[in-house]
Amino acid sequence: MTSQIISWIAVSFLFAATLSFLITEDWRWSLTFLALLYLGVFWLTQLHWTFSMAAVKLVTGWMVATILGITRSALDPNLVSVPESSSWSHGKLFRIFTAALAFFIALSTTPTIIKLLPGIGIPEVTGSLILMTMGLLLLGLTIRPLKVVIGLLAFIAGFEILYAAVENATLVAALLALVNLGLALVGAYLLTAGTDENIGPQE
Amino acid sequence: MNAPLIWIGIPLILSVLLWLPRRANITALLGGSSALIFAMLAWFLPIDIAIRVNAIFSFKIVSSIEILGRQISITPADQPLVALLYSLTAIWFFGSSAAYIARRLVPIGMAMLALLIASLAVQPFLYAALIIQTAILIAVPLLSPPEVKPKRGVIRFLIYQTIAMPFILFSGWLLAGVESSPGDIELLTQAAVLLALGFAFLLAIFPLYTWIPLLMEEASPYAVGFILWLLPNITFLFALGFLDRYAWLREYPQLPNALRSAGLLMVLTGGIWSAFQRHLGRMMGYAAIVNTGFSLLSLSLLADHQLSTFFLLQIPQALGLIIWSLALSILKIHERSLEFKKVQGMLQRYPIILSGLLLAHLSAMGLPLLAGFPPIIALWEGLARQNLLAAFWVGLAVASLLTGALRTLAVLVMSPKDEGWTLNGSWVQNTLISIGIFFILLLGLFPQILYPLLANLPLTFEHLSG
């Protein structure tokens, strides 16, 4: 029972974190929520994997957030500053409504997935679908490298929760961790690309 | 010694070492030579057979290695395929110096090839999706140089290719379920749909190919050409692995129709869009989409032709892409733009380089006497036997590609002023393109010279080779 309650808290936390990716313009908040998101992923994964295997996801997620955070903060101070937008402009209301729609799509799809994957619980499926739909939503709304990488990480994290219920091989866990870290490094590369005016063509 | 170490481990280590040379032509030479050596080793070195060096010393190359409880295995049947991939990569590497991209393409390309060969060798082969994803991540720095802000093309490439991975992994799990209960139609359909979605993203099937023309505008044409050759080819081999492994999938009644429809959609849209482009790079991008369409169509003929048409397409397509993208890179380096209005009359300034570009374009549409003609005519004939309407659509696509080639020719000879003929570009660039032109003509006139190389390739897929 306690486990179920914690699982649902984790699910609502995942929704809050992904919603924040959609509406916040401040990269610090985005990355803080990304790090916290992996707590929810860890909890939902450890329902099917051993504690130590699930901890790999948490550690990887925090490493990912750290890589992106360090890279972003090292950029030119002018770029680091938060855009001034305290009002509900920039389509925030639209994003909230779309997120709500994505949330309901996730909820309505959950029973179908549960039928497909015997042994998996409702919170895992709901959490996973929320992450995937919100990740896709974010990918559809932006082409900024940091947001895109966060969207892809959220999408993959959602998939990882589902996949943990059907596959527990060590190699899969290792390769998924590698893909997450690789995405963070690619994100860091894309963030820094073209920012240093002193870099000339290589050849 | 074991085979995965030779063709995966050592190239991965080499890919790090290849960052060290400071001169681009040294990197290209080292990378090209080492890829050629790997190709020759794959062709000549026997696996799982003891090799006797002298009376007291002998050794054997073992076919597999175990990593984290899973096998990576390169068998004797895989060797021709590994040889082909490394030899074509060697050509890309040798040409990279002339495209001024050797210092990025050679190390990254070597690492990508090693990983992609690992993806074909890993058992269970479903893990390949994760290794392919790693190779895709490595490709990003190749497509977006550090001195340029990332643009839409590379971002879309990253998104579309990453989204493919979960679909393929999940369909793999469903396929295992289908194996245990083959009568479950619902499960079978779900697995097939997820698999199709995964491959649609990976192969950039219509309408998921928008990143290709964008990248052709933004990045080095040679780098994009390399990606457009390597990734679809490995994805096709991965897809053939699925067909070879699962009997129900290759006997799925809708499979030939699905492959034919997807292929026709690709050749038609790619061909027609290419006819209307005003940018030489985008035109090549659409021609690469047509190439993928032709490969899909060749797989739709699996029942009649097995894999012969599919493998027959591979070398002419690769050769065409190498010459085309090299010519575009050289032109972009010298003239800064590939827009029609900027390249008017350039044929008089770059006669050899632009002849290579035009011949590669004409070969891609299967003009007689050029390398692309024998496989495309075989494909067209096979298709006409099955479905005349499909053959008509292919004809329309070919005519569209021809229109694009004629428009390019018209622009390139449209000199704004009375200008004399000069030979621009370095001697290396002109020589490489000349060699390419020679091979395009040679393969068009004597396609049978490919036979020894292609004969054993289908054996990698024992259930598909007939």
Side-chain angles (χ1 to χ4, degrees), chain B residues 239-290:
Chain B
L240 288 176
F242 270 87
L243 291 175
D244 193 46
R245 171 81 174 76
Y246 299 106
W248 72 266
L249 189 58
R250 62 175 178 272
E251 285 156 14
Y252 199 60
Q254 281 84 27
L255 183 72
N257 280 336
L259 288 170
R260 194 191 305 134
S261 307
L264 283 176
L265 213 54
M266 294 289 279
V267 294
L268 254 182
T269 54
I272 291 171
W273 286 184
S274 85
F276 294 101
Q277 295 308 308
R278 290 173 171 273
H279 186 279
L280 292 176
R282 288 176 68 92
M283 205 175 271
M284 186 191 123
Y286 283 111
I289 291 164
V290 175

Side-chain angles (χ1 to χ4, degrees), chain B residues 68-333:
Chain B
L68 293 172
R70 295 291 181 268
Q71 294 259 319
I72 294 182
S73 148
I74 296 177
T75 63
D78 300 328
Q79 280 182 283
L81 204 60
V82 175
L84 178 73
L85 288 170
Y86 269 111
S87 50
L88 289 173
T89 305
I91 303 174
W92 279 102
F93 287 174
F94 283 128
S96 62
S97 173
Y100 295 174
I101 196 171
R103 290 203 62 210
R104 265 190 303 136
L105 185 128
V106 175
I108 291 175
M110 186 67 91
M112 282 183 72
L113 182 64
L115 283 172
L116 291 171
I117 287 178
S119 76
L120 298 176
V122 69
Q123 299 289 338
F125 76 107
L126 292 170
Y127 294 167
L130 287 160
I131 304 176
I132 291 176
Q133 176 60 31
T134 312
I136 286 161
L137 294 176
I138 291 177
V140 171
L142 179 62
L143 298 172
S144 179
E147 66 272 10
V148 178
K149 273 202 172 298
K151 295 186 186 130
R152 276 192 308 164
V154 73
I155 297 284
R156 277 198 204 173
F157 165 79
L158 180 64
I159 292 173
Y160 285 12
Q161 299 288 308
T162 304
I163 288 175
M165 179 195 70
F167 284 115
I168 289 180
L169 278 178
F170 210 72
S171 69
W173 177 78
L174 287 175
L175 287 171
V178 172
E179 258 188 329
S180 55
S181 55
D184 190 341
I185 303 293
E186 195 185 339
L187 190 65
L188 199 136
T189 313
Q190 282 162 346
V193 168
L194 281 179
L195 197 63
L197 270 172
F199 278 109
F201 276 105
L202 266 186
L203 284 172
I205 304 286
F206 177 85
L208 305 170
Y209 58 53
T210 51
W211 57 269
I212 295 178
L214 283 173
L215 263 183
M216 283 303 299
E217 272 185 282
E218 297 166 7
S220 156
Y222 199 74
V224 185
F226 178 73
I227 297 296
L228 290 178
W229 164 70
L230 187 59
L231 285 182
N233 269 304
I234 295 291
T235 307
F236 272 119
L237 296 173
F238 181 40
L240 288 176
F242 270 87
L243 291 175
D244 193 46
R245 171 81 174 76
Y246 299 106
W248 72 266
L249 189 58
R250 62 175 178 272
E251 285 156 14
Y252 199 60
Q254 281 84 27
L255 183 72
N257 280 336
L259 288 170
R260 194 191 305 134
S261 307
L264 283 176
L265 213 54
M266 294 289 279
V267 294
L268 254 182
T269 54
I272 291 171
W273 286 184
S274 85
F276 294 101
Q277 295 308 308
R278 290 173 171 273
H279 186 279
L280 292 176
R282 288 176 68 92
M283 205 175 271
M284 186 191 123
Y286 283 111
I289 291 164
V290 175
N291 278 350
T292 306
F294 280 139
S295 296
L296 282 168
L297 287 172
S298 73
L299 291 183
S300 76
L301 302 175
L302 214 54
D304 298 337
H305 291 207
Q306 280 85 43
L307 290 173
S308 58
T309 318
F310 173 78
F311 281 117
L312 197 60
L313 275 166
Q314 300 311 308
I315 294 176
Q317 283 186 349
L319 190 63
L321 277 180
I322 293 170
I323 297 164
W324 200 337
S325 56
L326 181 57
L328 285 178
S329 283
I330 296 167
L331 198 62
K332 195 172 179 180
I333 289 162

